[in-house]
Amino acid sequence: MDRRNFIKIAGMSSGYLYFANQYNSAKNILHNACKPNVILILADDLGYGDIGCYGQKKINTPNLDKFASEGMRFTNCYSGSPVCAPSRNCLMTGQHTGHTRIRHNSSSFNKERVPLESSDLTVAEVFKSAGYSTGLIGKWGLGEPDTSGIPNKKGFDYFFGYLNQNHAHFYYPEYLWRNEEKVFYPENNNKKRGTYSHDLIADEALEFVKRNRSNPFFLHLTFTIPHAELLVPEDSLDEYKNKFPENKPFPGEKDGYAAQETPHAAYAAMITRMDKDVGRLMKLVKDLGIDDHTLIFFTSDNGPSDAAGSDPDFFNSNGNLRGAKYNLYEGGIRVPMLVRYPKKIKPAVSDYPWAFWDYMPTMCNFLNVKPKSGLDGISVLPVLYGKNQKEHEYFYWEIKADKKNFNQAVRMGNWKAVRANPDKPVELYNLSNDEGETKDVSLKNPGIVKQIEEIMRNSHTESKHWPMFTKKNEE
């Protein structure tokens, strides 16, 4: 072959390679464009009745109310647990607390925090394997520094926020984490309270969306509001500081937390500040032209708390439900759930019951990925799209705070049962006519109680950190 023909053939080959690369690049862009973005927003200790679309009268939440009017609002959605870490574990892994790695904020065996392990597949890992950019902005609580459970080892490309849930109780921290590095805020270290962590979290979430607007992304935005401590910048208090009677005012500290002298106003202002940031996020998604291509969830990790001056009774934070954070009555585990996806979800109110462990299989269905075996959840994607879906036979919760208490709860249809520990009798309520769980009907329904006791026995797998307690095994 002479030099001229060689150059001619080489030129044709390079031209072919150029156009082939351009074609493949365009094909990849088109393929990515067909993958909708997903945003999962999780509030912290926000009660079922704390936002307007669920009946709140004293706190302004116009952006979340608009969100609800444009999507599907669920009235029977349940958190994974009445406390933080296990609830988030259920949300991330698709298992209820009878099977999850983490079943309380710390081990009842040695009081240490238990991290997720490499074998615990998270929904973030599923998204990442499907070609998504993944980000966690806010509070994690499922792995301490240098453990197997940190976000960057559990499927998140990018992380900014708190690792430890106790650290996340404070809104003016000395530092936050960016991936595996600490970011320091010197003014907070000097007690000047210059950097409000919620604002940093909200801004980081917007930046993550901007950076990833051209490729499919999964953003898990985990606000710390309205968890204790009750602190908010003064500019947010103007709306409420003269509105409420402060029958529990206090200066300085409460329960070890700093707090404003007007806890009612602070609580309301915190929620409204979060609502405004949800509005900023929604506006950004629209301004970037990805609104129709983005599925967004909003919920809370458990029921409302009375810590650090919070007053759920004043705000009717659990609606007409009994109980709050830490217990397994409806007020501790039933949470707001809003879902918006203009392309597919029509505005509606649904009483379909589902729980956090359904999120993993729902997202697998959404991504057309086969879910991992052994999940407790089912996909609720058909419900989101206005179709019929078979309901769970039952829902199960357990929580063990110390060596002497092992609480369990089951919902089976409209029957709801709660038991203090395996040696105690089952309380039974009919949610169809007693949503507030005021009348124990266990003695009138022994057959139902027997079925539920069997579920309680079979739904628990032993854990060295949270073993089931009975009088017999304590002897």
Side-chain angles (χ1 to χ4, degrees), residues 47-322:
Y48 181 80
D50 268 334
I51 53 180
C53 56
Y54 283 91
Q56 179 57 231
K57 303 299 183 185
K58 297 176 180 177
I59 304 172
N60 297 323
T61 56
N63 294 291
L64 285 167
D65 298 342
K66 186 173 187 292
F67 185 129
S69 70
E70 295 173 346
M72 188 169 286
R73 178 171 70 87
F74 286 90
T75 59
N76 277 286
C77 186
Y78 291 93
S79 66
S81 171
V83 296
C84 170
S87 188
R88 294 159 194 260
N89 190 169
C90 295
L91 185 63
M92 287 290 98
T93 63
Q95 294 179 310
H96 61 55
T97 43
H99 297 146
T100 51
R101 176 81 55 195
I102 300 168
R103 306 187 190 186
H104 206 291
N105 288 340
S106 60
S107 169
S108 66
F109 174 69
N110 56 18
K111 297 304 177 183
E112 294 181 358
R113 301 201 182 275
V114 178
L116 292 177
E117 296 185 3
S118 58
S119 59
D120 299 314
L121 181 70
T122 69
V123 70
E125 291 172 292
V126 173
F127 273 106
K128 189 170 181 177
S129 67
Y132 279 64
S133 297
T134 56
L136 170 67
I137 315 291
K139 170 180 168 180
W140 179 231
L142 302 179
E144 297 292 286
D146 301 318
T147 71
S148 57
I150 63 171
N152 298 107
K153 292 182 180 178
K154 297 313 301 174
F156 290 102
D157 298 318
Y158 181 76
F159 165 60
F160 176 83
Y162 298 90
L163 286 177
N164 179 286
Q165 56 254 35
N166 280 5
H167 185 210
H169 293 181
F170 302 98
Y171 286 89
Y172 292 92
E174 296 178 18
Y175 66 88
L176 293 172
W177 292 91
R178 178 171 282 113
N179 296 317
E180 298 183 59
E181 300 292 331
K182 287 182 178 179
V183 181
F184 289 91
Y185 301 94
E187 67 275 26
N188 292 343
N189 188 36
N190 295 327
K191 307 301 181 184
K192 293 181 181 179
R193 292 184 184 165
T195 306
Y196 193 58
S197 62
H198 169 81
D199 295 348
L200 294 169
I201 289 167
D203 289 344
E204 284 276 347
L206 299 184
E207 290 303 314
F208 179 87
V209 171
K210 290 176 186 177
R211 288 197 306 271
N212 291 282
R213 60 187 173 186
S214 299
N215 53 274
F217 64 82
F218 168 58
L219 169 62
H220 189 20
L221 174 55
T222 57
F223 289 128
T224 54
I225 282 177
H227 199 295
E229 55 192 352
L230 292 187
L231 282 178
V232 68
E234 291 294 325
D235 62 342
S236 286
L237 280 175
D238 293 341
E239 187 173 351
Y240 296 106
K241 63 184 178 182
N242 297 318
K243 187 174 181 180
F244 301 135
E246 296 291 350
N247 54 9
K248 296 199 305 181
F250 53 84
E253 292 191 357
K254 177 71 173 177
D255 301 334
Y257 303 115
Q260 266 126 348
E261 294 185 9
T262 54
H264 288 156
Y267 186 82
M270 289 169 75
I271 292 175
T272 295
R273 195 178 189 94
M274 177 184 67
D275 177 83
K276 289 177 179 178
D277 287 318
V278 171
R280 290 172 62 205
L281 178 62
M282 302 295 289
K283 182 178 184 301
L284 175 63
V285 168
K286 290 180 181 179
D287 290 347
L288 294 177
I290 58 175
D291 185 42
D292 287 343
H293 209 57
T294 304
L295 169 63
I296 307 178
F297 296 79
F298 176 90
T299 188
S300 175
D301 63 347
N302 46 247
S305 170
D306 63 357
S310 298
D311 191 355
D313 291 338
F314 177 79
F315 289 104
N316 200 29
S317 292
N318 55 5
N320 64 341
L321 306 176
R322 176 182 178 181

Side-chain angles (χ1 to χ4, degrees), residues 335-382:
V335 290
M337 175 62 81
L338 309 176
V339 190
R340 183 183 181 277
Y341 186 22
K343 194 174 182 180
K344 291 280 189 177
I345 297 175
K346 296 179 180 179
V349 177
S350 174
D351 62 359
Y352 182 87
W354 61 294
F356 274 15
W357 48 89
D358 294 321
Y359 187 74
M360 167 72 96
T362 300
M363 290 299 93
C364 287
N365 192 359
F366 183 74
L367 296 170
N368 197 26
V369 172
K370 185 177 180 181
K372 177 183 177 181
S373 62
L375 299 186
D376 295 308
I378 61 174
S379 173
V380 299
L381 195 66

